[in-house]
Amino acid sequence: ELAGAIAARWQAWVAEYPERAKIRKAAMEKWRQERDAAALAGKPFTRREPAAPEGAGSRWEPSSLYNGMLNPLVPYALRGFLWYQGEANVARAGEYSRLLPLMIRQWREDFQQGELPFALVQLANYQSKVDKTGVQWAFLRETQSAARALPATGMAVTIDIGNPTNIHPSNKQEVGRRLALWAKSHILGDPPECNGPECAGVEIEGSLLRVRFKHAAGLRHTGPSAVGFEVAGKDRVFYPASALIDGSSVTVSASQVPNPVAVRYAWRNSPEASLFNAAGLPAGPFRSDTWQSP
């Protein structure tokens, strides 16, 4: 079923290639005219030429990257995998929740070395111009976090080091450092903390919700207050919440929600992320509800 849906989507994309090629040809002609006009006028011209459309045989074709880059390495001996991807799947979080675990299992089966450690990078903050809901990236991040249910699978949270206007943020050094912390802990047995604060449960305390965290030694917030929290009542309408740190927990409330039943944190494409532990690692986005995704 899943493979069939992906194949059908690709065939539809290939069928549209001639029209996309035609559009690109016209765009290229306009681009050349503007470039040449700028050169004649002695003016700078920095706009890149329109990207060529992808079609049959391209890197976008299902399994093309696997066959070209990973399969030739089988059966080399490995110590584990690092995976940084997901941006192209944000509109299909439900599908990705099945694809990612399948991929992890398949890679481990291919290399026949047992439960090879697998660490992934959760999507950073990015203000998508395409997603009008403002939360598609949050739901995709949730599927990435859920993949940690597989044995020997970890994740580096990067919700604080993205670039809201660039899908390829530049701070890869910190991404690598956070992945390395997990690898050192789970492959080399190095004990230092490698996880940021994680929601361990939510309790209702009258007009407040108490969010309990694990990996919360030295729980703190950046800036004058903890931000990024939202609460909702039974009507499922979320409002920004005030948040107070209390040891390894955070109490959240909003005047518009006298009887809160759900809390979300950093649940936006490009949210404010303010919660860290003593290791300097950020809390990942989370929600206590299971309400339908967009």
Side-chain angles (χ1 to χ4, degrees), residues 44-69:
F45 184 76
T46 59
R47 188 164 62 85
R48 296 180 179 180
E49 66 179 68
E54 302 280 355
S58 80
R59 57 183 177 163
W60 284 16
E61 189 167 359
S63 298
S64 65
L65 294 180
Y66 172 84
N67 289 327
M69 301 177 71

Side-chain angles (χ1 to χ4, degrees), residues 168-237:
H168 298 292
S170 59
N171 191 356
K172 297 299 192 298
Q173 180 173 333
E174 179 61 13
V175 175
R177 188 188 75 85
R178 294 176 185 181
L179 287 169
L181 285 174
W182 186 87
K184 287 173 65 178
S185 175
H186 290 79
I187 298 177
L188 302 180
D190 198 340
E193 179 65 85
C194 63
N195 295 296
E198 296 179 16
C199 178
V202 178
E203 302 164 3
I204 299 175
E205 297 181 359
S207 61
L208 303 175
L209 291 179
R210 181 176 296 275
V211 185
R212 299 194 181 278
F213 289 89
K214 57 184 178 180
H215 304 293
L219 191 64
R220 61 182 177 84
H221 57 75
T222 57
S225 62
V227 296
F229 287 92
E230 300 172 280
V231 296
K234 292 182 179 179
D235 61 0
R236 303 187 178 187
V237 178

Side-chain angles (χ1 to χ4, degrees), residues 98-259:
R98 299 165 62 193
L99 281 175
L100 182 57
L102 281 172
M103 187 192 76
I104 295 172
R105 293 189 184 99
Q106 182 64 57
W107 286 15
R108 288 171 170 170
E109 181 178 329
D110 289 346
F111 284 89
Q112 298 182 23
Q113 296 174 59
E115 302 289 357
L116 279 169
F118 189 104
L120 60 97
V121 178
Q122 191 180 51
L123 292 186
N125 46 308
Y126 175 66
Q127 191 58 58
S128 171
K129 296 180 180 179
V130 178
D131 173 26
K132 302 305 180 183
T133 71
V135 294
Q136 279 187 344
W137 286 60
F139 283 99
L140 196 284
R141 293 184 191 111
E142 183 177 53
T143 71
Q144 293 177 310
S145 183
R148 294 179 300 167
L150 293 176
T153 301
M155 184 179 73
V157 174
T158 62
I159 197 65
D160 60 315
I161 54 174
N163 185 334
T165 61
N166 189 335
I167 202 170
H168 298 292
S170 59
N171 191 356
K172 297 299 192 298
Q173 180 173 333
E174 179 61 13
V175 175
R177 188 188 75 85
R178 294 176 185 181
L179 287 169
L181 285 174
W182 186 87
K184 287 173 65 178
S185 175
H186 290 79
I187 298 177
L188 302 180
D190 198 340
E193 179 65 85
C194 63
N195 295 296
E198 296 179 16
C199 178
V202 178
E203 302 164 3
I204 299 175
E205 297 181 359
S207 61
L208 303 175
L209 291 179
R210 181 176 296 275
V211 185
R212 299 194 181 278
F213 289 89
K214 57 184 178 180
H215 304 293
L219 191 64
R220 61 182 177 84
H221 57 75
T222 57
S225 62
V227 296
F229 287 92
E230 300 172 280
V231 296
K234 292 182 179 179
D235 61 0
R236 303 187 178 187
V237 178
F238 282 89
Y239 293 89
S242 299
L244 295 175
I245 294 176
D246 182 13
S248 61
S249 66
V250 176
T251 58
V252 293
S253 62
S255 59
Q256 303 94 326
V257 187
N259 298 297

